[in-house]
Amino acid sequence: MYVRATTRKNKDGSTVRYLQLAHNEWDAATRTSRPQVLHSFGREDQLDRAAIERLVASLAKLLDPAAALRATSGSDLTFLASRPMGGAHALNGLWHRIGIDTVMKKLLTGRRLDPAAERVLFALVANRALAPSSKLAATRWIEHDSHIPGLPATSDDACYRAMDWLLKIEDKLAEEVYWQVADLLNLEVDLLFFDTTSTYFETGEPDTPAARDDHGRRLDQHLDQETESDESADDGDGKSFRAYGKSKDHRPDLPQVVIGMAVTRTGIPIRVWSWPGNTGDQALIRQVREDLREWKLTRVVWVADRGFASEQNRRFLQRAGGHYILGEKIRSGSPAAQAALSRQGRYAHVADNMQVKQVQLPDTADRFVICHNPDQAKRDAAIRADLLAQLEEAIKGSDKLKPLKRAELRGKLSTKPGLHRFLRATPGGLLRIDKAAIKAEERLDGKFLLRCSDPHLSAEDIATGYKQLLEVERGWRDMKTIIDLRPVYHRKEDRIRAHVLLCWLALLLIRIAETTCDDTWLNLREELERIHVGTFSGPAGTFRQRTETSAAQRAILAKLGVTEPKRIITLEPGTPA
């Protein structure tokens, strides 16, 4: 069918056009096509355009929106842009499944804040997981390079206001999110892993010191929440947030902050903390224990590295029936470590080529487990042989040096702990390899020592539980590579803390996706980001349509419990001529 136009010429010389709805029928006798008029619309200048629009709208209902728009646009349809949407769609589905949106909207009730703050925070979390960047660059990414459901665009000011609000609801949000995740994944918190790291800032000076409470937070609560200004001055003694400290990134020359993370045995991060950069490890776990005690978890066995094994920390972790598995410094020379290592006994073989031996000392209720890995023992021996070769080359011919030069060489070697461990000086000042130190080290090859307060865990459970502390280390690695915890583009303390929270939420979504799909986030992200949304425009309006999903993409979304995105994302009819 088509619209047919006929022309009639009046006596005064003017012409009038008439419009008709017609279609062609084939005449078999004459073997020609003859037009048949189905309906006459009348004169073109007196056309009832409203009736035509109603007819077109009625016919358009028989088509999908994109086809209807293409049909009315003719050949003037223009392809404007394409952007990935699959990753953000999957993360948004998990965000809703966990109920983070519900928790945030509930916490928004009664606050004078834009209701879109929840969408802004999700967009910033998605940015960390998909294309980490500064907050200013994230606003451009949201508007031009990704499709965030419910948020076509935002501003850097809106991002900063949302981050300030995120910090205010941190405690309540973390608790609510944990219970939502526990219900979603059926988490049974028996082993809880904790570790810390540090992240530095490319700046030469620490912050101005400020008075702080026991949790490292500023006592001055009247901070400017609206601008990214420098830290306000605070007279008197206190601690800087960005401060010099023991750097785990090997950058003691730069100010840093300390970050702690608690993780379940399956690698799900349940909370993060931020402290001033010169805070010691032994003080951190006390705050963590107090914060999580309010969650009323049924049974918790804390698993932490040897930096947290002080007597005060051990007593603190045992409050309210808690227990711990802690690494013991095997080379510390402590009486407990020496006594445990000197006990005779046979090793029992457990999983992953590990051997364990349990030791009970008479003067403590703690149980000690000596773990031995033969493969690691071979690696330790090979590393030591390499170090000894380097040391022997370094001190070769040193007997002929003058005493002052020999002292300079010894001082230089003292800056290299791996070599200095096996170096000794004779009473006459000559440099020699310490054979007693080598023999002592050989006894420790492939071994590590654990201390546990739980009387019911087996030696195998203690050893394998401690090995799972690697989940936290994997979390730190992903935080610093995939999510780009560093560089941090903020100077203000509250914004740095909020940035860490955004990274935690991104890691939480990533870990849930990996656990559910049994695949790495890099693979999942690569596949999902192949789902694009295209923007098309024509005389009748603009619409956005996604690409067809592949079998692999549908499988990922099905495992995550996320529905496929709508085929037509948006439809914006234009103004008729």
Side-chain angles (χ1 to χ4, degrees):
M1 288 185 289
Y2 59 93
V3 176
R4 176 188 180 190
T6 59
T7 304
R8 181 173 64 85
K9 190 171 184 180
N10 296 327
K11 293 180 179 180
D12 58 1
S14 61
T15 59
V16 179
R17 282 168 52 89
Y18 291 86
L19 301 180
Q20 299 167 328
L21 181 64
H23 81 107
N24 293 333
E25 287 187 353
W26 179 255
D27 187 342
T30 62
R31 302 183 63 83
T32 59
S33 178
R34 297 180 180 277
Q36 297 292 326
V37 176
L38 301 178
H39 176 73
S40 178
F41 294 105
R43 290 176 52 157
E44 184 178 25
D45 56 345
Q46 299 175 358
L47 191 63
D48 187 352
R49 296 188 179 276
I52 297 296
E53 290 178 9
R54 289 193 296 270
L55 176 61
V56 172
S58 179
L59 292 173
K61 293 179 181 179
L62 304 177
L63 306 173
D64 67 65
L69 189 57
R70 285 195 299 268
T72 56
S73 298
S75 60
D76 295 330
L77 190 64
T78 304
F79 176 44
L80 297 179
S82 175
R83 63 181 70 178
M85 67 165 296
H89 176 79
L91 292 172
N92 188 56
L94 290 177
W95 183 270
H96 285 276
R97 280 193 67 197
I98 297 171
I100 299 178
D101 62 321
T102 304
V103 174
M104 286 188 173
K105 289 174 182 177
K106 181 173 67 174
L107 296 175
L108 265 172
T109 304
R111 293 181 178 268
R112 299 178 60 184
L113 193 70
D114 186 351
E118 178 268 332
R119 287 287 82 195
V120 173
L121 289 175
F122 167 73
L124 294 177
V125 169
N127 176 255
R128 303 315 308 175
L130 298 172
S133 58
S134 69
K135 302 305 175 290
L136 181 59
T139 61
R140 297 193 294 267
W141 176 81
I142 293 167
E143 185 174 359
H144 301 292
D145 300 318
S146 183
H147 176 75
I148 303 298
L151 188 71
T154 189
S155 66
D156 53 342
D157 287 338
C159 293
Y160 291 137
R161 285 193 294 269
M163 291 172 64
D164 293 338
W165 174 66
L166 175 63
L167 192 61
K168 291 179 181 179
I169 65 171
E170 173 187 1
D171 294 341
K172 188 63 177 175
L173 176 67
E175 182 177 0
E176 292 277 355
V177 167
Y178 167 73
W179 289 114
Q180 294 281 359
V181 174
D183 184 59
L184 176 67
L185 301 180
N186 296 319
L187 295 181
E188 180 184 350
V189 178
D190 51 357
L191 296 183
L192 202 59
F193 303 87
F194 177 76
D195 198 8
T196 61
T197 190
S198 58
T199 186
Y200 58 83
F201 297 80
E202 296 288 353
T203 178
E205 298 296 331
D207 296 329
T208 303
R212 299 181 181 277
D213 60 16
D214 293 339
H215 291 176
R217 292 187 176 275
R218 291 178 61 119
L219 295 177
D220 176 16
Q221 298 298 320
H222 304 289
L223 299 178
D224 179 17
Q225 300 289 334
E226 298 298 328
T227 60
E228 186 73 7
S229 59
D230 290 330
E231 293 286 338
S232 58
D234 194 325
D235 296 332
D237 296 334
K239 283 187 176 182
S240 303
F241 188 62
R242 295 183 302 173
Y244 295 122
K246 183 179 179 181
S247 174
K248 297 189 178 183
D249 296 308
H250 308 292
R251 291 304 305 266
D253 57 317
L254 296 175
Q256 65 176 18
V257 297
V258 175
I259 303 170
M261 181 164 55
V263 177
T264 67
R265 67 161 69 215
T266 56
I268 305 298
I270 64 172
R271 190 164 179 182
V272 290
W273 293 263
S274 301
W275 293 280
N278 55 2
T279 307
D281 281 349
Q282 294 184 357
L284 307 181
I285 202 168
R286 302 178 189 180
Q287 179 192 344
V288 175
R289 177 68 178 86
E290 288 180 354
D291 288 346
L292 295 187
R293 183 173 55 187
E294 298 177 0
W295 294 9
K296 296 179 175 60
L297 304 177
T298 55
R299 179 176 181 269
V300 173
V301 178
W302 292 86
V303 185
D305 211 343
R306 55 183 179 268
F308 303 97
S310 71
E311 184 178 354
Q312 287 182 330
N313 281 345
R314 297 199 305 269
R315 287 201 303 266
F316 192 85
L317 290 177
Q318 283 186 291
R319 291 183 182 179
H323 288 288
Y324 54 76
I325 299 173
L326 300 175
E328 188 77 15
K329 294 182 179 179
I330 198 169
R331 293 183 176 85
S332 64
S334 68
Q338 292 297 322
L341 291 171
S342 63
R343 289 296 181 92
Q344 299 296 319
R346 292 185 177 182
Y347 285 96
H349 289 267
V350 296
D352 299 329
N353 198 32
M354 184 184 295
Q355 303 172 5
V356 298
K357 179 174 66 174
Q358 182 173 308
V359 175
Q360 183 69 56
L361 300 182
D363 55 345
T364 177
D366 286 351
R367 299 155 61 203
F368 290 85
V369 176
I370 303 173
C371 304
H372 180 251
N373 187 328
D375 293 336
Q376 183 61 45
K378 294 179 182 178
R379 288 191 289 269
D380 291 344
I383 292 173
R384 184 173 57 255
D386 183 60
L387 292 173
L388 291 175
Q390 294 181 43
L391 179 60
E392 187 173 2
E393 181 66 25
I395 63 175
K396 184 179 180 180
S398 62
D399 291 357
K400 299 179 181 179
L401 298 176
K402 294 182 179 180
L404 181 59
K405 290 293 184 181
R406 203 158 48 235
E408 290 180 356
L409 175 60
R410 184 181 179 185
K412 182 179 179 180
L413 292 174
S414 68
T415 63
K416 302 177 179 180
L419 300 181
H420 190 255
R421 186 190 309 168
F422 304 108
L423 179 68
R424 71 177 181 88
T426 66
L430 300 179
L431 302 182
R432 296 289 185 267
I433 291 178
D434 191 342
K435 295 183 179 179
I438 296 174
K439 187 175 181 180
E441 283 291 316
E442 288 175 347
R443 294 178 56 242
L444 304 180
D445 283 351
K447 295 179 181 177
F448 57 94
L449 180 63
L450 305 178
R451 177 193 288 259
C452 179
S453 65
D454 193 321
H456 304 295
L457 287 176
S458 67
E460 180 178 353
D461 288 340
I462 294 172
T464 55
Y466 186 78
K467 282 194 68 176
Q468 287 177 308
L469 191 61
L470 294 174
E471 289 292 344
V472 188
E473 298 177 3
R474 187 166 72 99
W476 291 135
R477 184 175 65 250
D478 288 352
M479 274 269 214
K480 293 182 178 181
T481 55
I482 297 176
I483 301 175
D484 280 5
L485 173 67
R486 186 180 61 241
V488 182
Y489 297 97
H490 304 286
R491 301 186 305 275
K492 190 176 178 183
E493 177 178 333
D494 283 5
R495 301 282 164 71
I496 296 171
R497 292 181 182 273
H499 170 76
V500 173
L501 291 178
L502 293 174
C503 292
W504 160 60
L505 288 171
L507 183 62
L508 174 67
L509 297 180
I510 286 174
R511 281 291 179 268
I512 292 175
E514 291 180 330
T515 302
T516 306
C517 297
D518 194 24
D519 200 352
T520 67
W521 174 245
L522 293 178
N523 291 338
L524 297 174
R525 182 177 65 184
E526 181 180 6
E527 187 63 43
L528 289 170
E529 286 293 79
R530 294 191 179 112
I531 304 177
H532 276 233
V533 56
T535 303
F536 302 85
S537 181
T542 302
F543 71 96
R544 290 180 177 179
Q545 178 176 328
R546 68 160 170 83
T547 56
E548 295 297 325
T549 54
S550 66
Q553 293 160 356
R554 291 193 294 272
I556 293 173
L557 294 175
K559 289 179 181 179
L560 297 178
V562 178
T563 59
E564 290 186 45
K566 296 186 299 182
R567 189 163 180 266
I568 304 301
I569 308 299
T570 59
L571 180 63
E572 302 170 1
T575 303

